[in-house]
Amino acid sequence: MRKKRTSMITTLMAISTVACLALPKQTYAATGTSDLSTQIALNGTTIETAMHIAVNDPWTHHLTSWLPIYYLNEAMQHMQVSGTWNGTTHVWNLTPNTKRFVLHMHSLPTSRTMAQNEMAIAIHSVIIEYAPKRVALDPYSGVMTTYVPVYYIEQALAHLSVQSSWNGTDWDMRATTVQITPSLPLQGLFMINQEDGWGLSGHHIWRTTNGGLTWNNASPLPFSTVRLGDNPIYKVRGGGADFLTASDAWIVQQTMNTQGQYVDTRVDYTTTGGRTWHATTIPVAGYGASLSFVNAQDGWLMVDIGAAAGSEGVKLFHTTNGGVSWELSATGDMNHTAIPFGGNKNGIAFSTPTHGFMTGENALYGFAWLYQSTNAGMSFTRQRLAIPSSQNHSPLNIFPPQFFGQHGILPVLNGLGGLMIYDTTNDGESWSPTALLQPSGTHNQVQFVDPINQQTIYVLDTKTNRQSNAMVSGTLYVTHNGGSTWSKVQSGSEFAQAEQVDFVSSQDGYLLTGSPGSTSVVFHTTDGGYMWTPMSPTVNR
């Protein structure tokens, strides 16, 4: 379609306040004519010229103003929003091209079949609004085009936090520019409660006491790096760091000599929220580590001492004094069998000072690499899981369980990215599977289990590009019945590089985005993940 165009300006903006629009009985429309010239403006500056029509809304039977979708798509580009119209499905899809939009994907309509004179408006292919549509002649181009009432456009743009006003002939979209300051080059974000939290990067430990608004350097000296192990989601339980409370934390550093060889393993610990640190060095060379503390005194350290094809040697150490000293509990290698040498280990988790689990994966289809100890880690025996027949056709990756008293959940990931949650009510003596979550992504990881109501579980599903291994999309899922059924919470633009979601309650959570080791942006939600607000923290190095 060809038309007369106005000059284009470039506008880069982030959006803040939601436009709350009540449905009026009549949208103000110029009367006495079917076509009127309309100026479409952004923050008071005209960006497009179009012709609108004033006819009755078939749903409300009131006179209202309609704008052509083609010119709306042109206007959306000035906000870095790509608009596409599908004349077959009758869906107008909006795709924000910048992370600076704060999406509000709640109060969505129920999916339904549309009549011939109806259409849908979507964001990222998720329908957010239904509207009447009308096909009429565009005076500028002389061809038939599709029109939609202004009111329903305003309702849809509210999901992008865009406010707008219509005076009967002209339409002005209003957006507040917000400068999003990148936060930290974080690898992990661990909020203890709504105020206290820890941040972990390659060369720093960070501490916040005001909900992430300010971060202070709380690193021990000297400090090199923290190896997080194979499973980044279990950095809190079963990785190279364990942030148990706002005061108690442990991190593992594995040091090299001048020849580049690992020579020992050092555990730094604090009981003062990072203000002071103490260190204990264990004379064992390692290539990765996992920590698990059940309280401020009893903890375990699993050190990777070398791998072979499909096998991994480990040493397990135990402390009963908060990390002041460590004793060797068991070894798993070709000469020691207290821990099986076969299988790739990915973490440990203890539920009591004597009862714990070691998890991993094996190349055998349908084999659950799950071992438990009932003697504080001195030895481990295999625990069998009831694997549904549909899951016996790929390798299984078992991740460390999380316990809340006698109740616990055990994530099991199949080779196709599907996730099953196993549930126990007897401290892991037996496990029962729930429904399979099989989303479209390639990584499917448990992020949070509500400690008050363990039936609420959040899972982050991410998809990566097979060639570049770069993250291209992410989706947040939630279950409120322990995994029996799942629902999609959010899949907006802020999830394009989602690294981690960390909730402190079923409603209050944080989203960490960005490539590992690069500058990250942290978003905050207070409604269970439907609306996310970017944070601009102060960093005190």
Side-chain angles (χ1 to χ4, degrees), residues 295-375:
N295 54 49
Q297 300 299 316
D298 295 283
W300 288 261
L301 167 67
M302 184 179 73
V303 179
D304 173 9
I305 58 175
S311 301
E312 182 180 13
V314 296
K315 286 183 179 292
L316 185 66
F317 297 86
H318 182 205
T319 180
T320 57
N321 53 20
V324 176
S325 61
W326 295 85
E327 299 292 333
L328 179 64
S329 295
T331 300
D333 58 22
M334 290 185 291
N335 301 314
H336 302 83
T337 59
I339 301 171
F341 179 53
N344 296 314
K345 291 76 173 173
N346 61 28
I348 51 173
F350 277 74
S351 58
T352 72
T354 58
H355 191 204
F357 295 83
M358 187 176 294
T359 61
E361 61 178 332
N362 189 290
L364 297 176
Y365 285 9
F367 183 93
W369 206 101
L370 176 66
Y371 288 78
Q372 72 168 327
S373 173
T374 56
N375 55 11

Coordinates of all heavy atoms in Angstrom, one line a residue, residues 295-375:
N295 N 21.8 -26.4 58.1 CA 21.7 -25.4 59.1 C 23.0 -24.7 59.1 O 23.9 -25.0 58.3 CB 21.3 -26.0 60.5 CG 22.2 -27.1 60.9 OD1 23.5 -27.0 60.8 ND2 21.6 -28.3 61.3
A296 N 23.2 -23.8 60.1 CA 24.5 -23.0 60.1 C 25.7 -23.8 60.5 O 26.8 -23.3 60.4 CB 24.3 -21.8 61.1
Q297 N 25.5 -25.1 61.0 CA 26.6 -25.9 61.4 C 26.9 -27.1 60.5 O 28.1 -27.4 60.2 CB 26.3 -26.4 62.8 CG 26.1 -25.3 63.9 CD 27.4 -24.4 64.0 OE1 28.5 -24.9 64.1 NE2 27.1 -23.1 64.1
D298 N 25.9 -27.8 60.0 CA 26.1 -29.0 59.3 C 26.0 -28.8 57.8 O 25.0 -28.4 57.3 CB 25.0 -30.0 59.7 CG 25.1 -30.4 61.2 OD1 25.9 -31.3 61.5 OD2 24.3 -29.9 62.0
G299 N 27.1 -29.2 57.1 CA 27.2 -29.0 55.7 C 28.1 -30.0 55.0 O 28.9 -30.7 55.7
W300 N 27.9 -30.1 53.7 CA 28.7 -31.1 52.9 C 29.3 -30.4 51.7 O 28.7 -29.5 51.1 CB 27.8 -32.3 52.5 CG 27.4 -33.2 53.6 CD1 28.0 -34.4 53.9 CD2 26.4 -33.0 54.6 NE1 27.4 -34.9 55.0 CE2 26.4 -34.1 55.4 CE3 25.5 -32.0 54.8 CZ2 25.5 -34.2 56.5 CZ3 24.6 -32.1 55.8 CH2 24.6 -33.2 56.7
L301 N 30.5 -30.8 51.3 CA 31.2 -30.3 50.2 C 31.6 -31.5 49.3 O 32.3 -32.4 49.7 CB 32.4 -29.5 50.6 CG 33.4 -29.2 49.5 CD1 32.8 -28.2 48.5 CD2 34.7 -28.6 50.1
M302 N 31.0 -31.5 48.0 CA 31.4 -32.5 47.1 C 32.4 -31.9 46.1 O 32.1 -30.9 45.4 CB 30.2 -33.1 46.3 CG 30.5 -34.2 45.4 SD 29.0 -34.8 44.5 CE 28.7 -33.5 43.4
V303 N 33.6 -32.5 45.9 CA 34.6 -32.0 45.1 C 34.8 -32.9 43.9 O 35.0 -34.1 44.1 CB 35.9 -31.8 45.8 CG1 37.0 -31.2 44.9 CG2 35.7 -30.8 47.0
D304 N 34.8 -32.4 42.7 CA 35.0 -33.2 41.5 C 36.5 -33.4 41.4 O 37.3 -32.4 41.2 CB 34.5 -32.4 40.3 CG 34.8 -33.1 39.0 OD1 35.4 -34.2 39.0 OD2 34.6 -32.4 37.9
I305 N 37.0 -34.6 41.4 CA 38.4 -34.9 41.3 C 38.9 -35.5 40.0 O 40.0 -35.9 39.8 CB 38.9 -35.8 42.4 CG1 38.1 -37.2 42.4 CG2 38.7 -35.2 43.8 CD1 38.6 -38.2 43.4
G306 N 38.0 -35.5 39.0 CA 38.4 -36.0 37.7 C 37.3 -36.8 37.0 O 36.6 -37.5 37.7
A307 N 37.2 -36.7 35.7 CA 36.2 -37.5 35.0 C 36.8 -38.3 33.9 O 37.9 -38.1 33.4 CB 35.2 -36.5 34.4
A308 N 36.0 -39.4 33.6 CA 36.3 -40.3 32.4 C 35.0 -40.3 31.6 O 34.0 -39.7 32.0 CB 36.8 -41.6 32.9
A309 N 35.0 -41.1 30.6 CA 33.9 -41.2 29.7 C 32.7 -41.8 30.5 O 32.7 -42.9 30.9 CB 34.2 -42.1 28.5
G310 N 31.7 -40.9 30.8 CA 30.5 -41.4 31.5 C 30.7 -41.6 33.0 O 29.8 -42.1 33.6
S311 N 31.8 -41.2 33.5 CA 32.1 -41.4 34.9 C 32.7 -40.1 35.5 O 33.3 -39.3 34.8 CB 33.1 -42.6 35.1 OG 32.5 -43.8 34.6
E312 N 32.7 -40.0 36.8 CA 33.2 -38.8 37.5 C 33.6 -39.2 38.9 O 32.8 -39.7 39.7 CB 32.2 -37.7 37.5 CG 32.7 -36.4 38.1 CD 31.6 -35.3 38.1 OE1 30.4 -35.6 37.9 OE2 32.0 -34.2 38.4
G313 N 34.9 -38.9 39.3 CA 35.3 -39.2 40.6 C 35.0 -38.0 41.5 O 35.2 -36.8 41.1
V314 N 34.6 -38.3 42.7 CA 34.3 -37.2 43.7 C 34.8 -37.5 45.1 O 35.0 -38.7 45.4 CB 32.8 -36.9 43.7 CG1 32.3 -36.3 42.4 CG2 32.0 -38.1 44.2
K315 N 35.1 -36.5 45.9 CA 35.3 -36.7 47.3 C 34.3 -35.9 48.0 O 34.0 -34.7 47.6 CB 36.7 -36.2 47.7 CG 37.8 -37.1 47.2 CD 39.2 -36.6 47.7 CE 40.3 -37.6 47.3 NZ 40.2 -38.9 48.0
L316 N 33.7 -36.4 49.1 CA 32.7 -35.8 49.9 C 33.2 -35.4 51.3 O 33.7 -36.3 52.0 CB 31.4 -36.7 50.0 CG 30.2 -36.0 50.7 CD1 29.7 -34.9 49.9 CD2 29.1 -37.1 50.9
F317 N 33.2 -34.2 51.6 CA 33.6 -33.7 52.9 C 32.4 -33.2 53.8 O 31.4 -32.8 53.2 CB 34.6 -32.6 52.8 CG 35.9 -33.0 52.1 CD1 36.0 -32.9 50.7 CD2 37.0 -33.4 52.8 CE1 37.1 -33.3 50.0 CE2 38.2 -33.8 52.1 CZ 38.2 -33.7 50.8
H318 N 32.6 -33.3 55.1 CA 31.5 -33.0 56.0 C 32.0 -32.0 57.1 O 33.1 -32.2 57.6 CB 31.0 -34.3 56.6 CG 29.8 -34.1 57.6 ND1 29.5 -34.9 58.6 CD2 28.9 -33.1 57.7 CE1 28.5 -34.5 59.2 NE2 28.0 -33.4 58.7
T319 N 31.2 -31.0 57.4 CA 31.6 -30.1 58.6 C 30.4 -30.1 59.5 O 29.2 -30.2 59.2 CB 31.8 -28.7 58.1 OG1 32.2 -27.9 59.2 CG2 30.6 -28.1 57.4
T320 N 30.7 -30.1 60.8 CA 29.7 -29.9 61.9 C 29.9 -28.7 62.7 O 29.2 -28.5 63.7 CB 29.8 -31.2 62.8 OG1 31.1 -31.2 63.4 CG2 29.4 -32.4 62.1
N321 N 30.8 -27.8 62.2 CA 31.0 -26.5 62.9 C 31.0 -25.3 62.0 O 31.7 -24.3 62.1 CB 32.3 -26.6 63.7 CG 33.5 -27.0 62.7 OD1 33.4 -26.9 61.5 ND2 34.6 -27.4 63.4
G322 N 30.1 -25.4 61.0 CA 29.9 -24.2 60.1 C 31.0 -24.0 59.1 O 31.1 -22.9 58.5
G323 N 31.9 -24.9 58.8 CA 33.0 -24.8 57.9 C 34.3 -24.4 58.5 O 35.3 -24.2 57.7
V324 N 34.4 -24.4 59.8 CA 35.7 -24.2 60.4 C 36.7 -25.3 60.1 O 37.9 -25.1 59.9 CB 35.5 -24.0 62.0 CG1 36.9 -23.9 62.7 CG2 34.6 -22.8 62.3
S325 N 36.2 -26.5 60.1 CA 37.0 -27.7 59.7 C 36.1 -28.7 58.9 O 34.9 -28.7 59.1 CB 37.5 -28.4 61.0 OG 36.5 -28.9 61.8
W326 N 36.8 -29.5 58.1 CA 36.1 -30.4 57.2 C 36.8 -31.8 57.3 O 38.0 -31.9 57.4 CB 36.2 -30.0 55.7 CG 35.4 -28.7 55.5 CD1 35.9 -27.4 55.6 CD2 34.1 -28.6 55.0 NE1 34.9 -26.5 55.3 CE2 33.8 -27.2 54.9 CE3 33.1 -29.5 54.6 CZ2 32.6 -26.7 54.4 CZ3 31.9 -29.0 54.2 CH2 31.6 -27.6 54.1
E327 N 35.9 -32.8 57.4 CA 36.4 -34.2 57.4 C 36.0 -35.0 56.2 O 34.8 -34.8 55.7 CB 35.9 -34.9 58.7 CG 36.4 -34.3 60.0 CD 37.8 -34.4 60.2 OE1 38.4 -35.4 59.7 OE2 38.4 -33.6 61.0
L328 N 36.9 -35.8 55.6 CA 36.5 -36.6 54.5 C 35.5 -37.7 54.9 O 35.7 -38.5 55.8 CB 37.7 -37.3 53.9 CG 37.5 -38.2 52.7 CD1 37.0 -37.4 51.5 CD2 38.8 -38.9 52.3
S329 N 34.3 -37.7 54.2 CA 33.3 -38.7 54.5 C 33.4 -39.9 53.6 O 33.2 -41.1 54.1 CB 31.9 -38.1 54.5 OG 31.7 -37.1 55.4
A330 N 33.5 -39.7 52.3 CA 33.5 -40.8 51.4 C 34.2 -40.3 50.1 O 34.3 -39.2 49.8 CB 32.1 -41.2 51.1
T331 N 34.7 -41.4 49.3 CA 35.3 -41.1 48.0 C 34.7 -42.1 47.0 O 34.3 -43.2 47.3 CB 36.8 -41.4 48.1 OG1 37.4 -40.6 49.1 CG2 37.5 -41.2 46.8
G332 N 34.5 -41.5 45.8 CA 34.0 -42.3 44.7 C 35.0 -42.2 43.5 O 35.1 -41.1 42.9
D333 N 35.7 -43.3 43.3 CA 36.6 -43.3 42.1 C 36.8 -44.8 41.7 O 36.1 -45.6 42.2 CB 37.9 -42.6 42.4 CG 38.7 -43.2 43.6 OD1 38.5 -44.3 43.9 OD2 39.6 -42.5 44.1
M334 N 37.8 -45.1 40.9 CA 38.0 -46.4 40.4 C 38.4 -47.4 41.6 O 38.2 -48.6 41.4 CB 39.0 -46.5 39.3 CG 38.5 -45.8 38.0 SD 39.7 -46.0 36.6 CE 41.0 -44.9 37.2
N335 N 38.9 -46.8 42.7 CA 39.4 -47.7 43.8 C 38.5 -47.6 45.0 O 38.8 -48.3 46.0 CB 40.8 -47.3 44.1 CG 41.8 -47.4 43.0 OD1 41.8 -48.4 42.3 ND2 42.6 -46.4 42.7
H336 N 37.5 -46.7 45.0 CA 36.7 -46.5 46.2 C 35.2 -46.6 45.7 O 34.9 -45.9 44.8 CB 37.0 -45.2 46.9 CG 38.4 -45.1 47.4 ND1 39.4 -44.7 46.5 CD2 39.0 -45.4 48.6 CE1 40.6 -44.7 47.2 NE2 40.3 -45.1 48.5
T337 N 34.4 -47.3 46.4 CA 33.0 -47.5 46.0 C 31.9 -47.0 46.9 O 30.8 -47.3 46.8 CB 32.8 -49.0 45.7 OG1 33.0 -49.7 47.0 CG2 33.7 -49.5 44.7
A338 N 32.3 -46.2 48.0 CA 31.3 -45.6 48.9 C 30.4 -44.7 48.1 O 29.2 -44.6 48.4 CB 32.0 -44.9 50.0
I339 N 30.9 -44.1 47.0 CA 30.1 -43.4 46.1 C 30.4 -44.0 44.7 O 31.6 -44.2 44.3 CB 30.5 -41.9 46.1 CG1 30.3 -41.3 47.5 CG2 29.7 -41.1 45.0 CD1 30.9 -39.9 47.6
P340 N 29.4 -44.3 43.9 CA 29.6 -44.9 42.6 C 30.5 -44.0 41.7 O 30.3 -42.8 41.6 CB 28.2 -45.1 42.0 CG 27.3 -45.1 43.2 CD 27.9 -44.2 44.2
F341 N 31.5 -44.6 41.0 CA 32.3 -43.8 40.1 C 31.6 -43.5 38.8 O 31.7 -42.4 38.2 CB 33.6 -44.7 39.8 CG 34.5 -44.0 38.8 CD1 35.0 -42.7 39.1 CD2 35.0 -44.7 37.7 CE1 35.8 -42.1 38.2 CE2 35.8 -44.1 36.8 CZ 36.3 -42.8 37.1
G342 N 30.7 -44.4 38.3 CA 30.0 -44.2 37.1 C 28.9 -43.1 37.2 O 28.4 -42.9 38.3
G343 N 28.7 -42.4 36.1 CA 27.7 -41.4 36.1 C 28.3 -40.0 36.4 O 29.3 -39.9 37.1
N344 N 27.7 -39.0 35.8 CA 28.1 -37.6 36.0 C 27.3 -37.0 37.1 O 26.1 -36.9 37.0 CB 28.0 -36.8 34.7 CG 28.8 -37.4 33.6 OD1 30.0 -37.6 33.8 ND2 28.3 -37.5 32.4
K345 N 28.0 -36.5 38.2 CA 27.3 -36.0 39.3 C 27.0 -34.5 39.1 O 27.9 -33.8 38.6 CB 28.2 -36.2 40.6 CG 28.3 -37.6 41.1 CD 29.3 -38.4 40.3 CE 29.6 -39.8 40.9 NZ 30.4 -40.6 40.0
N346 N 25.9 -34.0 39.6 CA 25.6 -32.6 39.4 C 25.2 -31.9 40.7 O 24.9 -30.7 40.7 CB 24.5 -32.4 38.4 CG 23.2 -33.0 38.7 OD1 22.9 -33.2 39.9 ND2 22.4 -33.4 37.7
G347 N 25.1 -32.6 41.8 CA 24.8 -32.0 43.1 C 24.5 -32.9 44.2 O 24.3 -34.1 44.1
I348 N 24.4 -32.3 45.4 CA 24.1 -33.0 46.6 C 23.0 -32.1 47.4 O 22.9 -30.9 47.2 CB 25.3 -33.2 47.6 CG1 26.0 -31.9 47.8 CG2 26.2 -34.3 47.0 CD1 27.2 -32.0 48.8
A349 N 22.2 -32.8 48.2 CA 21.2 -32.1 49.0 C 20.9 -33.0 50.2 O 20.6 -34.2 50.0 CB 20.0 -31.8 48.2
F350 N 21.1 -32.4 51.4 CA 20.7 -33.2 52.6 C 19.5 -32.5 53.2 O 19.3 -31.3 53.2 CB 21.9 -33.1 53.6 CG 23.0 -34.1 53.4 CD1 23.8 -34.0 52.3 CD2 23.1 -35.2 54.2 CE1 24.8 -34.9 52.0 CE2 24.0 -36.2 53.9 CZ 24.9 -36.0 52.9
S351 N 18.6 -33.4 53.8 CA 17.4 -32.9 54.4 C 17.6 -32.9 55.9 O 16.9 -32.1 56.6 CB 16.3 -33.9 54.1 OG 16.5 -35.2 54.5
T352 N 18.5 -33.7 56.5 CA 18.8 -33.7 57.9 C 20.3 -33.9 58.0 O 21.0 -34.1 57.1 CB 18.0 -34.8 58.6 OG1 18.6 -36.1 58.3 CG2 16.6 -34.9 58.3
P353 N 20.8 -33.7 59.2 CA 22.3 -34.0 59.4 C 22.7 -35.4 59.1 O 23.9 -35.6 59.0 CB 22.5 -33.6 60.9 CG 21.4 -32.6 61.2 CD 20.2 -33.1 60.4
T354 N 21.8 -36.3 58.9 CA 22.2 -37.7 58.5 C 21.7 -38.2 57.2 O 22.3 -39.1 56.6 CB 21.8 -38.7 59.6 OG1 20.3 -38.6 59.7 CG2 22.4 -38.3 60.9
H355 N 20.7 -37.6 56.7 CA 20.0 -38.1 55.5 C 20.2 -37.1 54.3 O 19.9 -35.9 54.4 CB 18.5 -38.2 55.7 CG 17.8 -39.0 54.7 ND1 16.4 -38.9 54.4 CD2 18.2 -39.9 53.8 CE1 16.1 -39.7 53.4 NE2 17.2 -40.3 53.0
G356 N 20.8 -37.7 53.2 CA 21.1 -36.8 52.1 C 21.0 -37.6 50.7 O 20.9 -38.8 50.7
F357 N 21.1 -36.8 49.7 CA 21.0 -37.4 48.3 C 22.1 -36.8 47.4 O 22.5 -35.7 47.6 CB 19.6 -37.1 47.7 CG 18.5 -37.7 48.4 CD1 18.0 -37.1 49.5 CD2 18.0 -38.9 48.0 CE1 16.9 -37.7 50.2 CE2 16.9 -39.5 48.6 CZ 16.4 -38.9 49.8
M358 N 22.6 -37.7 46.5 CA 23.5 -37.3 45.5 C 22.8 -37.6 44.1 O 22.2 -38.6 44.0 CB 24.8 -38.0 45.6 CG 25.9 -37.5 44.6 SD 27.5 -38.3 44.9 CE 27.9 -37.7 46.5
T359 N 22.9 -36.6 43.2 CA 22.1 -36.8 41.9 C 23.1 -36.6 40.7 O 24.2 -36.0 40.9 CB 21.0 -35.7 41.8 OG1 21.6 -34.4 41.9 CG2 20.0 -35.9 42.9
G360 N 22.6 -37.1 39.6 CA 23.4 -36.9 38.4 C 22.7 -37.5 37.2 O 21.5 -37.6 37.2
E361 N 23.5 -37.9 36.2 CA 22.9 -38.4 34.9 C 23.8 -39.6 34.4 O 25.0 -39.7 34.8 CB 22.8 -37.3 33.9 CG 24.1 -36.7 33.4 CD 24.0 -35.7 32.3 OE1 23.0 -35.8 31.6 OE2 24.8 -34.8 32.3
N362 N 23.1 -40.4 33.6 CA 23.8 -41.6 33.0 C 23.3 -41.7 31.6 O 22.2 -41.3 31.3 CB 23.4 -42.8 33.9 CG 24.2 -44.0 33.4 OD1 24.1 -44.6 32.3 ND2 25.1 -44.5 34.3
A363 N 24.2 -42.2 30.7 CA 23.8 -42.3 29.3 C 22.8 -43.4 29.1 O 22.2 -43.4 28.0 CB 25.1 -42.6 28.5
L364 N 22.5 -44.3 30.0 CA 21.5 -45.3 29.8 C 20.1 -44.7 29.8 O 19.8 -43.9 30.7 CB 21.7 -46.4 30.9 CG 23.0 -47.1 31.0 CD1 23.0 -48.1 32.2 CD2 23.2 -47.9 29.7
Y365 N 19.3 -45.1 28.8 CA 18.0 -44.6 28.7 C 17.2 -45.1 29.9 O 17.2 -46.2 30.3 CB 17.3 -45.1 27.4 CG 17.8 -44.4 26.2 CD1 18.9 -43.5 26.2 CD2 17.2 -44.6 25.0 CE1 19.3 -42.8 25.1 CE2 17.6 -43.9 23.8 CZ 18.7 -43.1 23.9 OH 19.1 -42.4 22.8
G366 N 16.4 -44.1 30.5 CA 15.5 -44.5 31.6 C 16.2 -44.8 32.9 O 15.5 -45.2 33.9
F367 N 17.5 -44.5 33.0 CA 18.2 -44.8 34.3 C 18.3 -43.5 35.1 O 18.7 -42.5 34.7 CB 19.7 -45.2 34.0 CG 20.5 -45.6 35.2 CD1 20.5 -46.9 35.6 CD2 21.2 -44.7 35.9 CE1 21.3 -47.3 36.7 CE2 21.9 -45.0 37.0 CZ 21.9 -46.3 37.4
A368 N 17.7 -43.7 36.3 CA 17.7 -42.5 37.3 C 18.9 -42.6 38.2 O 19.0 -43.5 39.1 CB 16.4 -42.6 38.1
W369 N 19.8 -41.6 38.0 CA 21.1 -41.6 38.8 C 20.7 -40.8 40.1 O 20.9 -39.6 40.2 CB 22.2 -40.9 38.1 CG 23.6 -41.4 38.5 CD1 24.4 -42.3 38.0 CD2 24.2 -41.0 39.7 NE1 25.5 -42.5 38.7 CE2 25.5 -41.7 39.8 CE3 23.9 -40.1 40.8 CZ2 26.4 -41.5 40.8 CZ3 24.8 -39.9 41.8 CH2 26.1 -40.6 41.8
L370 N 20.2 -41.6 41.1 CA 19.8 -41.0 42.4 C 20.3 -42.0 43.5 O 19.9 -43.1 43.5 CB 18.3 -40.9 42.5 CG 17.7 -40.4 43.8 CD1 18.1 -39.0 44.1 CD2 16.2 -40.5 43.8
Y371 N 21.1 -41.4 44.4 CA 21.7 -42.2 45.5 C 21.4 -41.5 46.8 O 21.5 -40.2 46.8 CB 23.2 -42.4 45.3 CG 23.5 -43.4 44.2 CD1 23.4 -43.1 42.8 CD2 23.8 -44.8 44.5 CE1 23.7 -44.0 41.8 CE2 24.1 -45.7 43.4 CZ 24.0 -45.3 42.1 OH 24.3 -46.2 41.1
Q372 N 21.2 -42.3 47.8 CA 20.9 -41.6 49.1 C 21.8 -42.2 50.2 O 22.3 -43.3 50.1 CB 19.4 -41.8 49.5 CG 19.0 -43.2 49.9 CD 17.7 -43.3 50.6 OE1 17.3 -42.4 51.3 NE2 16.9 -44.4 50.4
S373 N 22.0 -41.4 51.2 CA 22.8 -41.7 52.3 C 22.0 -41.5 53.6 O 21.3 -40.6 53.7 CB 24.1 -40.9 52.4 OG 24.8 -41.1 53.6
T374 N 22.1 -42.5 54.5 CA 21.5 -42.4 55.8 C 22.5 -42.3 57.0 O 22.1 -42.4 58.1 CB 20.5 -43.6 56.0 OG1 21.3 -44.8 55.9 CG2 19.4 -43.6 55.0
N375 N 23.7 -42.1 56.6 CA 24.8 -42.1 57.7 C 25.7 -40.9 57.5 O 26.9 -40.9 57.6 CB 25.6 -43.4 57.7 CG 26.2 -43.7 56.3 OD1 26.2 -42.8 55.4 ND2 26.8 -44.9 56.1

